[in-house]
Amino acid sequence: GAGVSQSPSNKVTEKGKDVELRCDPISGHTALYWYRQSLGQGLEFLIYFQGNSAPDKSGLPSDRFSAERTGGSVSTLTIQRTQQEDSAVYLCASSSGLAGGPADTQYFGPGTRLTVL
Amino acid sequence: QKEVEQNSGPLSVPEGAIASLNCTYSDRGSQSFFWYRQYSGKSPELIMSIYSNGDKEDGRFTAQLNKASQYVSLLIRDSQPSDSATYLCAVTYSSASKIIFGSGTRLSIRP
């Protein structure tokens, strides 16, 4: 497993349900990022972890969104009480962390396509 | 004003010509600048990074940065059909804890 992996690849849920998205970064990468991409749009930065800490959580769209990272590796993005406007592709990326977080080259996972009915 | 602005395109360029993609940003303290390429239905991949004023060349790609004008561009020489994709400009905030992507420019190389 050389790349970033994400699961599930697709998730269909009903409005109001909670969902949990998972990201496995490249082994040894200390920095991890979550983005949201709506159809035909650019990437919306959600949150960045350096190790287990998130220096800036201001990108999270609302308090329904939360993210955590434990053991400096796997991260989960949780969306509570999903709304239809949460439908998007959620992308995770990781980087070595050597250049200081977002200044590094980021390697993206394949994404999770979330559909809220 | 958007933090990172790009012309959405589509930009149509004949094969073999130079494609010029432009990006402006609002945070004067930004230090790191990136161009990512995204094929339809795929994840972004890094094309170029640039950190200081001037030009940086890598094969057919040249990134140009002008911090005084808050402007970064990507030139693609000898454009190929395989270059047809959406190109995303990304800029780190001066706080270095956030990165902002533009909405992307769709490039189409016509044979």
Side-chain angles (χ1 to χ4, degrees), chain A:
Chain A
V4 177
S5 61
Q6 293 185 246
S7 61
S9 55
N10 279 284
K11 177 71 176 178
V12 180
T13 191
E14 294 178 346
K15 178 181 172 182
K17 300 280 190 184
D18 297 351
V19 295
E20 189 173 278
L21 311 180
R22 176 188 168 105
C23 173
D24 275 282
I26 291 173
S27 178
H29 278 191
T30 61
L32 185 148
Y33 315 80
W34 283 100
Y35 298 90
R36 178 170 70 175
Q37 188 170 35
S38 301
L39 188 63
Q41 301 298 308
L43 298 180
E44 177 186 2
F45 173 84
L46 299 179
I47 194 168
Y48 144 65
F49 287 93
Q50 181 60 48
N52 294 333
S53 301
D56 187 338
K57 299 182 180 180
S58 63
L60 294 174
S62 74
D63 59 8
R64 295 187 295 105
F65 288 72
S66 62
E68 66 175 15
R69 189 181 187 196
T70 56
S73 182
V74 172
S75 175
T76 54
L77 177 69
T78 301
I79 309 172
Q80 295 178 311
R81 305 181 302 282
T82 52
Q83 303 295 311
Q84 288 182 331
E85 60 263 29
D86 298 334
S87 296
V89 175
Y90 289 81
L91 288 162
C92 174
S94 71
S95 69
S96 67
L98 295 176
D104 288 324
T105 298
Q106 296 183 38
Y107 298 87
F108 284 82
T112 293
R113 182 175 298 278
L114 176 66
T115 303
V116 182
L117 301 176

